[in-house]
Amino acid sequence: MDALIQEFPLFWSGFLGTLRLALFAAVGSLVFGTLLASFRVSPLPPLRFVGLAWVTVFRNSPLVVVLFVFAFALPQVGIRFPTFNGNAFFWPGVAGLAAYTAAFVCEAVRAGINAVPPGQAEAARAVGLTFGQSLGTIVLPQALRSVVPPLGSVIIAMIKNSAIVGAFGVTGELFSVDGALSATGVYPALSILTGIAVCYLVITIPAGIGLNVLERRIEVKR
Amino acid sequence: MTTTPMIRMAAVDKHFGDLHVLRDINLEVATGQVVVVLGPSGSGKSTLCRTINRLEPIDSGTIEVDGEKLPEEGRALAALRADVGMVFQSFNLFAHKTILENVTLAPVKVRRTGRADAEKNGMALLERVGIANQRDKYPAQLSGGQQQRAAIARALAMRPKVMLFDEPTSALDPEMVNEVLDVMTTLAAEGMTMLVVTHEMGFARRAAHRVIFMADGEIVEDSTPDAFFSQPASDRAKDFLGKILTH
Ligand SMILES: Nc1ncnc2c1ncn2[C@@H]1O[C@H](COP(=O)(O)OP(=O)(O)O)[C@@H](O)[C@H]1O
Ligand SMILES: [Mg+2]
C-alpha cells in the first residue's frame, strides 16, 4: 500500500498515458474500422477485397506480432513514425493497436449494416442517392443503433490490450509502471499489480457505463 | 416520326440462378400513360418493375427511360433514378427520419434544392396527400396508409418523370387501401406516367389506360382494362381472374 502512495506520480502519469493511448487508438480504430466496413459492402470488388483482406489478416494475427511489426519492421522498410514527447513507440503503438482493433470494429459495423432492413438502402438508391450517400445518411446511422453494444466490447478489449503496448516499451503507459518499479528492486508485486488493475478498471468501467447510456439515448431517439 | 416512349424495354431477359424470371420482355409505355401490371404471385411483376430503375440488373436486352439507356452502376444511374419515382409494398420510409425529413432528404442531397424550398415543397406535397399534420413524426408512429402516402410524397418530391408502384396497397389493412388509391387516382388523372403492379381491379378500371398480364416471366396479354376484364384472351388470364374475382 505504501508503495502505491509513494509511487502515486508514476501511477498517475501511467494512467494518463494509457488514457491517451486508448483515446487515440479508439478514435483511429472506430473511424478506420467504419471505413473498412463500408469497403466490405461496397459495390466495387477491389474495395471489398481490401476490406476482407484487412479483416482476415489483422483479426487472425496475435496483437503482439502486429505491434512489433509497427514498432520495428515498418521503420526498417522506411515507414517511420514521429516521436511523441520524445517517445518513439507511442505512435507505432497507437497505429498498431488501431490497425488491429479496426478489423474487429469493421466486423461489428458490418453486422450492424446487415441488420438494417434492405428496403432502406433500396429506397435510398431509388430516390437517387449514390452508394456513399445512402450508406452515410441512411444505412450507417441506423446500423449504429445495434452496433453500440458490440463496439463497446471491442473498445474495452482494446483498452486492456493497450497494456501490451506498455509491456513492449511505450513508457509512461500504465502497464509499464510495473516494469519501471520492478527495475528499482523494491517490488511489492501484489500491491503494484493490484494498483495497475484498479487503474484499468477506473478507465474501463466508466467506459462501459458511458456506452450503456449512449445505447439508451440512441434507443429512445427514433 | 414517332415520339419517344417514357419507358422502353426491348428483348429483356433476366434469371435468378436457374429461374428464368423475365422472358423476352418487350414493352413501351408512352408519356402520360397509366399501365397496370397483373399476374399471379411469382410471375415476375416486381422484378419487371425493379429492372426499370435498375434495382435489379438484367441479363440481356435494353431498357430506356425517356430515350436514355439505363447507365451502369454509378453517378449517372443515381441521376436517372432521381427521375424515376418508386413506391414499395413495404413503404420503406427512412426509419430514423421524420416524415418531413423523408420528403426533403433527396431534393436537398440529390437535387441540391435549398432547405427552405425543399421544406415548402415538401409541406405542399404532404398537404396534398393529407398528412401535413404528421410532419414531425417518425414513420413507425404512422398508420400503414399514412406511411404509404408519405412514401408517395417522398417520390413526388423529386418531380419524377415516371412513377413505379409495386403492390402499394398489398401490405395495408383494408380500410386504408382507398386513401392510397385515391392519391394514385388523382396522380393518374393529372397526367403522370405510371406503371402500377396491383390487384386492385377498381383502380385498374378507373385509372388505367392499359392492363398487362404476366405469367411465368412473360407478358401474356396487353390490352385495355375493359377488354381484359370482360374478355380475357388466354386461359391463364381467365383462370387468374376467376381466382381473384371470387374472393
Ligand atoms: N432476389 C431474388 N433472388 C432469387 N429469386 C428471386 C429474387 N427475387 C425474386 N425471385 C424469384 O423470382 C420470381 C419472380 O418474383 P417477383 O418478381 O417478385 O414476382 P411477383 O412480384 O410477380 O410475385 C419468383 O419465383 C421469386 O421467388
Ligand atoms: Mg411482387
Side-chain angles (χ1 to χ4, degrees), chain B residues 42-119:
Chain B
S43 57
K45 308 179 297 294
S46 297
T47 308
L48 176 86
C49 208
R50 293 159 56 83
T51 56
I52 297 171
N53 64 358
R54 210 172 188 276
L55 283 182
E56 295 289 355
I58 55 177
D59 300 340
S60 61
T62 329
I63 300 180
E64 288 170 10
V65 174
D66 200 16
E68 194 191 335
K69 202 162 172 274
L70 284 191
E72 293 293 300
E73 204 67 47
R75 286 192 175 273
L77 181 61
L80 182 134
R81 283 176 179 151
D83 289 337
V84 178
M86 183 147 198
V87 175
F88 302 87
Q89 181 174 350
S90 49
F91 329 132
N92 294 350
L93 288 171
F94 304 133
H96 62 313
K97 301 279 183 193
T98 65
I99 297 305
L100 184 60
E101 285 168 346
N102 263 276
V103 176
T104 56
L105 187 133
V108 170
K109 295 249 172 217
V110 179
R111 296 265 191 249
R112 305 275 166 211
T113 311
R115 187 164 296 282
D117 280 352
E119 289 194 355

Side-chain angles (χ1 to χ4, degrees), chain B residues 3 5-9 26-30 33 35 210 222:
Chain B
T3 49
M6 183 55 74
I7 300 170
R8 193 173 86 87
M9 301 177 79
N26 293 283
L27 174 67
E28 290 193 0
V29 178
Q33 199 172 49
V35 179
R210 188 173 161 196
D222 182 348

Side-chain angles (χ1 to χ4, degrees), chain A residues 43 118-130 133 137-139 141-142 145 221-222, chain B residues 50 53 55 75 78 81-82 84 86 88 92-97 105-106 109-110 138 154 158:
Chain A
Q120 295 287 304
E122 268 185 4
R125 282 189 288 153
V127 290
L129 298 188
T130 60
Q133 286 175 322
T137 62
I138 305 300
V139 179
Q142 295 188 58
R145 259 186 219 153
K221 194 195 157 258
R222 70 164 109 177
Chain B
R50 293 159 56 83
N53 64 358
L55 283 182
R75 286 192 175 273
R81 283 176 179 151
V84 178
M86 183 147 198
F88 302 87
N92 294 350
L93 288 171
F94 304 133
H96 62 313
K97 301 279 183 193
L105 187 133
K109 295 249 172 217
V110 179
Y138 287 90
R154 172 177 67 181
M158 296 302 282

Side-chain angles (χ1 to χ4, degrees), chain B residues 1-23:
Chain B
M1 259 310 284
T2 53
T3 49
T4 317
M6 183 55 74
I7 300 170
R8 193 173 86 87
M9 301 177 79
V12 170
D13 272 277
K14 164 142 190 103
H15 294 77
F16 281 121
D18 288 338
L19 187 68
H20 201 164
V21 271
L22 294 181
R23 297 168 190 259

Side-chain angles (χ1 to χ4, degrees), chain A:
Chain A
M1 204 50 211
D2 282 355
L4 292 187
I5 294 162
Q6 210 178 330
E7 302 296 344
F8 181 77
L10 194 57
F11 274 95
W12 179 242
S13 77
F15 176 77
L16 291 182
T18 285
L19 208 55
R20 189 159 46 219
L21 184 69
L23 222 56
F24 279 111
V27 171
S29 59
L30 287 173
V31 171
F32 188 54
T34 306
L35 186 73
L36 283 174
S38 68
F39 280 13
R40 290 214 60 185
V41 297
S42 155
L44 301 175
L47 289 186
R48 282 207 299 274
F49 175 79
V50 170
L52 177 65
W54 193 284
V55 167
T56 307
V57 169
F58 284 92
R59 206 165 53 147
N60 297 303
S61 305
L63 176 59
V64 184
V65 176
V66 171
L67 289 171
F68 271 66
V69 167
F70 274 75
F72 303 113
L74 291 187
Q76 278 188 7
V77 297
I79 300 170
R80 287 173 196 289
F81 294 88
T83 58
F84 180 85
N85 287 342
N87 185 339
F89 290 122
F90 182 78
W91 287 120
V94 168
L97 200 52
Y100 174 84
T101 308
F104 295 86
V105 169
C106 168
E107 288 307 274
V109 171
R110 192 170 67 98
I113 288 174
N114 289 338
V116 175
Q120 295 287 304
E122 268 185 4
R125 282 189 288 153
V127 290
L129 298 188
T130 60
F131 173 77
Q133 286 175 322
S134 150
L135 193 66
T137 62
I138 305 300
V139 179
L140 274 180
Q142 295 188 58
L144 288 184
R145 259 186 219 153
S146 58
V147 153
V148 169
L151 275 189
S153 314
V154 168
I155 294 303
I156 286 170
M158 189 211 71
I159 296 171
K160 294 185 288 176
N161 282 340
S162 73
I164 299 178
V165 180
F168 88 88
V170 173
T171 50
E173 179 277 344
L174 259 179
F175 196 65
S176 66
V177 169
D178 181 66
L181 290 184
S182 62
T184 64
V186 263
Y187 184 58
L190 183 61
S191 48
I192 285 170
L193 287 170
T194 307
I196 290 172
V198 167
C199 284
Y200 276 106
L201 293 181
V202 169
I203 298 175
T204 49
I205 290 177
I209 293 172
L211 284 158
N212 282 340
V213 171
L214 181 66
E215 189 189 343
R216 247 171 280 134
R217 278 265 179 90
I218 294 173
E219 203 57 48
V220 174
K221 194 195 157 258
R222 70 164 109 177

